[in-house]
Amino acid sequence: MDVYTGTPISRLEIVERGGRRRFSDEAKLRIVEESYSGRRLGSATARKYAITRSQLNDWRDAARAGRLGPASSAGFIPAVIVPEVTATTSPPPVDGSRIEIVTSNGRRIVVDGRVDVDALLRIVRGLETLR
């Protein structure tokens, strides 16, 4: 057997290999929100934080499912402010007439001519918020 008889080692250097990193749920949410902030930012965000695109997609799924905290339940949908439409009241049409309304998301409403306009507006606004 060989015996080392050279100079004793006086300094030992530890080299980190870049093992597994841990991200907190808050950090994951912040990264996911950043990835939704514009068109085609998923890959760029993944590169910025040195994670894979599939890992970012897993975090996005977890955020949508609410597993990363309460902030994820909002779905990161940007708010859009639109001017309020004021309705003008007109005299009710003759009996037997019907009105068909198609909302911007494709929902159809058919009512008779004597419908309460205020109630109808509330219904239409509620249906437009549905996906």
Side-chain angles (χ1 to χ4, degrees):
M1 178 185 301
D2 293 335
V3 176
Y4 180 73
T5 58
T7 332
I9 299 174
S10 62
R11 182 176 149 199
L12 180 64
E13 184 176 344
I14 298 174
V15 179
E16 187 176 327
R17 292 185 41 190
R20 177 177 283 205
R21 294 176 297 157
R22 303 280 184 195
F23 289 91
S24 67
D25 286 348
E26 293 81 20
K28 290 177 186 179
L29 274 175
R30 193 173 20 84
I31 293 169
V32 168
E33 287 173 356
E34 183 178 332
S35 73
Y36 282 127
S37 64
R39 286 188 62 201
R40 292 188 271 174
L41 283 182
S43 296
T45 305
R47 279 191 302 272
K48 177 180 176 182
Y49 292 98
I51 59 175
T52 64
R53 178 84 169 113
S54 63
Q55 186 175 19
L56 179 59
N57 285 335
D58 289 344
W59 291 355
R60 283 178 166 184
D61 292 341
R64 264 186 250 118
R67 293 190 307 263
L68 296 182
S72 64
S73 63
F76 309 114
I77 299 173
V80 179
I81 300 173
V82 295
E84 187 173 332
V85 178
T86 57
T88 59
T89 57
S90 58
V94 295
D95 289 340
S97 62
R98 297 172 66 90
I99 301 171
E100 179 177 341
I101 299 170
V102 180
T103 62
S104 60
N105 60 0
R107 308 267 186 202
R108 271 185 34 171
I109 305 166
V110 179
V111 294
D112 68 355
R114 295 175 303 216
V115 68
D116 179 32
V117 175
D118 293 328
L120 181 61
L121 283 174
R122 287 193 303 271
I123 292 170
V124 169
R125 286 184 186 132
L127 287 174
E128 284 182 343
T129 61
L130 297 175
R131 292 184 182 205

